[in-house]
Amino acid sequence: MANRIPTLRQRRLGAELRRMREQAGFGGSHLARLLGVTPALVTQMENGKSAVSVERLREIAAACMCANEPLIDALADTVTDNDKGGWWEEYRGILSEDFLEVAEIESRARGISLYTMAFIPGLLQTDAYTSAVFGRSYPPLPPHAIDLRTAFRLRRQHILRSGDLPYSAYIHEAALRMQFSGAKVQAEQLGALIAASEQPNISVRVVLFDVDMIPLNNENFTYVEGPVQELDTVQADSGVGNFLFDAPAHTARFRSLLAQIDSAALSVDESRDFIQSIKKDMESKYV
């Protein structure tokens, strides 16, 4: 199976094995000798292109003198789940990998925090708002592609329905006022956002225009907590696609950025009142 195309989980497992080896100060050839395998197999495992059993994982951890049992156990769960496809697999070959990878990351999350300046967060969007956002894509998407992307995004929202997943959304005032399909659609979206904010697992907090301490090179990002902090992932949006960050230095940077945003945002109650005021202003434009 060395020629397989690795999935997101397999790539992440391989990256963690590489980090484990590098932290031990070993080269690939040295680890191969300890395991009694070829250096090529070590490379394939670290690239996610060769299957890794739980037994092999623990053998590598022992060879690398890794004593982080919570991390090893979490990686073992990843190995066990590697062959279990999620609902997003139905869209493989139909939507790009960016869409599927976001859904896969969310499916294993222990908590999600995000900051957005341009849009209402995808997991809190209404059907009409989502369609309007995709309808503003450039180059323009055909109607069937807009419908497909909208259906996929709405299906992702099921992870919040159980109420078990902690979800914290920090939304810039610009996203609350940005209209993609007129005041009516925006007002309905703000009403849905207020309703969502009343759920016990969902926190919605607003960052006002007059806050000047937030770096502008991180307009939209999502911090996804893994089963252990070493397996946290950051997904950042850009005009050319999604970028995933999982190196400890990167995740630490985004945790620090979230702490800055948290200190600058309105409280939950203040945010709800503020969103309500914008909603009323939107309603006055079409009622």
Side-chain angles (χ1 to χ4, degrees):
M1 301 298 290
N3 294 324
R4 69 179 182 177
I5 298 175
T7 65
L8 174 65
R9 290 183 193 177
Q10 290 160 349
R11 296 200 307 272
R12 182 61 185 272
L13 173 62
E16 293 303 323
L17 293 178
R18 183 181 301 108
R19 270 194 275 271
M20 196 179 292
R21 171 179 60 77
E22 291 173 346
Q23 287 173 358
F26 297 159
S29 296
H30 182 69
L31 178 59
R33 288 195 297 272
L34 293 177
L35 298 176
V37 302
T38 65
L41 181 57
V42 171
T43 298
Q44 290 167 356
M45 288 189 293
E46 292 182 352
N47 289 338
K49 294 182 178 180
S50 183
V52 179
S53 66
V54 173
E55 292 74 18
R56 176 69 80 188
L57 164 66
R58 295 191 181 280
E59 184 181 6
I60 292 171
C64 293
M65 297 170 288
C66 177
N68 189 338
E69 288 299 330
L71 172 61
I72 296 170
D73 290 343
L75 291 174
D77 290 340
T78 298
V79 170
T80 302
D81 288 345
N82 261 342
D83 296 325
K84 298 178 181 178
W87 62 266
W88 53 88
E89 292 295 335
E90 301 172 21
Y91 293 82
R92 192 169 297 280
I94 303 174
L95 290 175
S96 71
E97 287 294 314
D98 284 351
F99 284 88
L100 277 57
E101 289 181 352
V102 169
E104 183 175 349
I105 292 171
E106 290 170 345
S107 74
R108 292 177 61 82
R110 299 297 177 88
I112 296 177
S113 300
L114 63 88
Y115 173 63
T116 177
M117 290 185 67
F119 312 102
I120 302 302
L123 295 183
L124 302 178
Q125 291 179 4
T126 64
D127 188 330
Y129 183 92
T130 300
S131 294
V133 169
F134 284 125
R136 290 293 187 93
S137 299
Y138 187 83
L141 293 168
H144 76 274
I146 294 174
D147 292 344
L148 180 65
R149 286 160 172 73
T150 298
F152 186 87
R153 179 165 293 177
L154 295 179
R155 192 165 177 184
R156 280 174 47 212
Q157 296 178 358
H158 291 178
I159 64 169
L160 295 181
R161 303 278 168 79
S162 68
D164 296 329
L165 179 67
Y167 184 82
S168 298
Y170 298 91
I171 306 175
H172 196 276
E173 182 179 347
L176 299 175
R177 297 187 183 278
M178 189 84 70
Q179 297 180 44
F180 292 96
S181 189
K184 187 174 189 298
V185 168
Q186 188 69 14
E188 291 172 349
Q189 172 62 77
L190 295 179
L193 187 62
I194 292 169
S197 73
E198 295 171 345
Q199 301 302 310
N201 63 311
I202 298 175
S203 168
V204 175
R205 296 178 61 194
V206 175
V207 178
L208 298 176
F209 275 127
D210 59 6
V211 172
D212 62 2
M213 64 178 290
I214 308 301
L216 292 179
N217 60 337
N218 295 292
E219 288 86 355
N220 303 287
F221 71 88
T222 302
Y223 192 102
V224 182
E225 298 175 34
V228 293
Q229 190 175 87
E230 292 87 346
L231 296 183
D232 290 355
T233 303
V234 175
Q235 179 254 322
D237 295 331
S238 79
V240 294
N242 296 327
F243 292 93
L244 300 178
F245 302 95
D246 55 43
H250 289 146
T251 55
R253 171 177 173 270
F254 279 98
R255 283 197 301 274
S256 175
L257 184 55
L258 274 174
Q260 293 181 53
I261 295 170
D262 182 81
S263 66
L266 298 177
S267 70
V268 170
D269 289 338
E270 290 171 336
S271 296
R272 193 176 293 123
D273 291 342
F274 187 78
I275 296 170
Q276 182 65 42
S277 70
I278 298 179
K279 177 176 177 288
K280 289 181 178 179
D281 180 58
M282 294 288 175
E283 290 172 337
S284 68
K285 297 178 180 179
Y286 67 86
V287 173

